[in-house]
Amino acid sequence: MELVATHGGSVSVLSVARLYINHLLTLKQYEEAAKLCLRVLGNNKSLWEEEVFKFVKCQQLRSVSPYLPTSDDCKLDPHVYEMVLYEFLKFDVNGFLNLIKEWPSQLYDGLAVINAIHDHFRKQHANQMLESLALLYSYQGDYESALRMYLKLQNKDVFDLIKRHKLYEVISKLIIPLIQLDRERAFAILLDKDKIKSELVVHQLEHNKEYLYWYLDSLLKVDSKNIFQNKLVSLYAKYDRKKLLPFLRRSKEYVIQEALVICKQEGFYPEMVYLLGCMGGVEAAEALNIIVHSMNDIELAIEFCKEQDDIDLWNQLINESAKQPEIVSNVLDGIVDYVNPEVVVSRIKIGQTIPNLRESLIKMLWHYSIQEEIFSTAQQIQLKDYFDTHSEVVALQRRGQQVSCKQLCPLCHRPVLMENSVFNCIVVFKCGHIYHEPCVQGVLFDNPCSECKLRTNDPDDEE
Ligand SMILES: [Zn+2]
Ligand SMILES: [Zn+2]
């Protein structure tokens, strides 16, 4: 060939080359033949198509595929690329996947290739086939199908795909498989309200209570006012009871009656007590009943009565103590400062044995005696303070008062001190106001200071 090229001749280089390609193919030197194609065919579309068909016959498209032109300058008929892909699909699935990754998707009819994969799906190559499908579907813009393929593959790249193409609308039907794949990464998307609405997520998870519990529990942390909190009562009851009572205390977004029904069904006493306590009245009495009879926790009963601060509840508790002598001493210990202990003591029947009564009474008497001591000490301190302050006031009032010549009489607005015999006599009030005596005569003498209404008829107030 080089000889023909250098020395020329009646036969063209190309014809010789093409004959040589035929020759190489008959010798089964496919690789050599393919390389020669690249060397001599250039960007000639029709020549390429002709030569490629020679490789079809001997099922050696795979050898020529790396050399096929794929640029915009020389694009072959889509059918050619498809044939190459089909051959790979049949004999070399990994090579097929590589081509799907490498070749620009507009070279061939994606849908046709997708159908071919479905027709030739082989389980032993499922991963490569699914990945190829995922890529082909995304090239087609069918991201939902692409996501499904990634999910089948359990490939976490799916989250990047979602972010890259903002497929938040598409994922609404794929929420459960996404959570199954990676709960943390799925929730990072699902908890972002700007990306996907909580209503949608909740709707999808409605039939998968455990996922719904995970989701709403996490949602509560990012949005404490969300409207789905009512659902959390039953979910916490089922999946994580220790979170239930703190939730009931913290949240205002659930219906107490509904929550109560759930807690009753489950027999959750502390939660029931809290809810009944919130309802107050008859319900609070029921709560106390539960504490005393079902929980047998007399300390809690006392705390409950203190919290509710309701005399009816105290009476209910005291009545209980009359029926159960063993709780009398606890009740006595608890009610100090809230209810007169006499009521409890008076209910004790003669001859009745009350465990620990002596200790309780001693404790109570100690308490009251200490309290009395505190009161009397406080009173002494108060009294001393009173006398101290009183003597300060008296000392202050006994002080002399300076009268300056700049001071004006509030009635005539002239200086109180004047070289005028008529006005030389002045009247001074304790408030500090000074008047000329003639000015106040008959006006203020028995009345309060006209400036501040201080009573002048109080003997302590006038000097
Ligand atoms: Zn005056
Ligand atoms: Zn005054």
Side-chain angles (χ1 to χ4, degrees), residues 408-416 418 423 434-440:
L408 302 177
C409 164
L411 291 177
C412 66
H413 304 291
R414 284 179 292 178
V416 286
M418 289 191 296
F423 290 107
I434 304 166
Y435 300 82
H436 297 118
E437 201 214 4
C439 292
V440 296

Side-chain angles (χ1 to χ4, degrees), residues 98-110:
N98 286 338
L99 278 191
I100 297 290
K101 285 179 182 169
E102 274 169 32
W103 275 355
S105 60
Q106 62 274 15
L107 289 182
Y108 49 87
D109 176 359

Side-chain angles (χ1 to χ4, degrees), residues 429 431-433 435 449-454:
F429 286 85
C431 56
H433 292 121
Y435 300 82
C449 160
S450 67
E451 289 298 291
C452 57
K453 308 287 184 202
L454 186 76

